[in-house]
Amino acid sequence: MIEQQKDMLFRSLTELADAHCHLDLIPDDALIKNSIGKGVLSIITDGVDTGSNMRSLELADNRNIFAALGIDPEHIVKLPKSELERTIEFNIGLIRQNRNKIVGIGEIGLDYKDDKWKGMADLQKSALTKFIKAAIELDLPISVHSRKSLSDVFDVLDETRARRVHLHYFEGDAEDAKLAVERGYMISVPPIESSKRKRVIAAIPIKNLMAESDAPVVGKSPLDVETSVRNVATVKGITFEEAATQLTRNTKDFFRIDRQKQDRLIRI
Ligand SMILES: [Zn+2]
C-alpha cells in the first residue's frame, strides 16, 4: 500500500513517452489531451495507410505529438494488386517530402495472422523491404510489426541491414529478445501483462526497452503506457519513476525527439 502511494506521488511528477500508438484512430480528442495533461509528453503516432498518414501529419505538432508514416501489413494485404505498387511509391514520396517533419517510418512489418496472409508473405516482404530502404536512405528509425512472423522479420532486417529498429508489440520469447538486443534493436512492451512478456523484460537491459500503448488497438489512450511502465518497474525491481525516466529517455533518444523539438523552434 505504501509503495502504491509512493508510486502515485511520483506519478504526478513523472514524464512518460508512448513509443507507438494510432492517434488518428482515437475518436475522442479529449482522450489525447488528457494523456498529455497527465504527463505523456511525447507520443509517437504511426500511420497505417495513405489517409492515416495524412491525418498523422496533421496531428503532429512536434511538441508532444510526433508522426511516423508507413503502411502496415494489414493494409498491404488488403490493397488491390493493381494499386499496391503505386500506393507504396506514393507513401514513400510522402515520407521523403516530410522527412524533417516526421520522426520515423511505421507502421510497417509482416503479419501472418492466418494462412491467407501468410500466403502473401512475399508481397509483404517486398513492401517491407521498400520502406526499410527508404528509412536507411533518409536515416529514419522504423517501427516494425511482427505478428506470428518474427523469424521472417529478422531475416528481412538482416538482409536489408536495417538500422534504428523498433520491434513494437514484441511477441517473441526471451531468446528472440536477446537476438534483437544483439542487433541493437529496441523492443516495446504493450500495456498487457503476461508471463512470457515478463521473461522478455527480465532477459534484456532496460536500455533496449520502450513503453507503448498501441492505442486504440490495445490501450484506450496513450495514458495506458503507465501499465507498460509499471510492468517494467515490477520486473526490473525499480520504482515506477525510475522505469519511467529510463523508458522516456530511450524513446526520445531513439526517435531523436529533442532534436525534432529544436528544429520546430528554429522553424518558428
Ligand atoms: Zn500499431
Side-chain angles (χ1 to χ4, degrees), residues 48-192:
V48 295
D49 64 9
T50 305
S52 164
N53 286 333
M54 299 289 198
R55 290 193 296 279
S56 300
L57 279 170
E58 276 169 28
L59 282 164
D61 59 10
N62 285 329
R63 181 198 298 263
N64 298 116
I65 301 172
F66 303 87
L69 308 184
I71 307 180
D72 73 347
E74 184 176 338
H75 286 86
I76 294 286
V77 297
K78 286 180 184 164
L79 273 166
K81 284 238 163 64
S82 56
E83 284 174 31
L84 184 65
E85 290 312 311
R86 206 159 21 120
T87 307
I88 293 172
E89 285 321 311
F90 176 82
N91 282 280
I92 289 178
L94 202 61
I95 288 166
R96 224 173 243 128
Q97 273 164 29
N98 290 284
R99 164 66 185 85
N100 296 321
K101 290 184 199 150
I102 62 175
V103 295
I105 295 186
E107 177 164 352
I108 55 174
L110 303 177
D111 194 324
Y112 299 168
K113 182 185 80 161
D114 54 29
D115 285 347
K116 188 175 169 221
W117 288 16
K118 198 174 177 184
M120 298 167 93
D122 284 346
L123 181 142
Q124 293 192 45
K125 285 181 195 170
S126 147
L128 175 59
T129 301
K130 285 180 183 148
F131 281 109
I132 295 174
K133 283 187 175 156
I136 294 170
E137 177 204 320
L138 299 167
D139 188 21
L140 282 166
I142 51 175
S143 275
V144 186
H145 171 105
S146 55
R147 176 161 54 172
K148 296 186 179 173
S149 60
L150 190 58
S151 95
D152 278 9
V153 164
F154 272 127
D155 285 348
V156 176
L157 293 171
D158 285 346
E159 278 159 25
T160 51
R161 299 180 190 208
R163 296 184 292 263
R164 302 181 68 196
V165 175
H166 164 213
L167 297 172
H168 109 91
Y169 202 108
F170 190 74
E171 278 187 335
D173 58 24
E175 288 311 307
D176 297 321
K178 285 180 193 160
L179 290 177
V181 169
E182 271 171 26
R183 290 163 165 80
Y185 301 165
M186 300 297 286
I187 288 175
S188 69
V189 264
I192 309 169

Side-chain angles (χ1 to χ4, degrees), residues 21-50:
C21 66
H22 305 280
L23 293 188
D24 66 300
L25 301 174
I26 295 179
D28 186 359
D29 259 10
L31 282 170
I32 302 171
K33 286 199 183 107
N34 181 49
S35 299
I36 296 169
K38 291 200 168 147
V40 193
L41 298 186
S42 303
I43 300 171
I44 318 298
T45 187
D46 284 62
V48 295
D49 64 9
T50 305

Side-chain angles (χ1 to χ4, degrees), residues 189-213:
V189 264
I192 309 169
E193 255 187 274
S194 77
S195 47
K196 186 162 92 173
R197 208 153 276 142
K198 280 183 185 159
R199 288 196 296 276
V200 164
I201 295 170
I204 65 170
I206 195 169
K207 70 172 175 53
N208 289 89
L209 283 167
M210 300 193 283
E212 70 167 277
S213 71

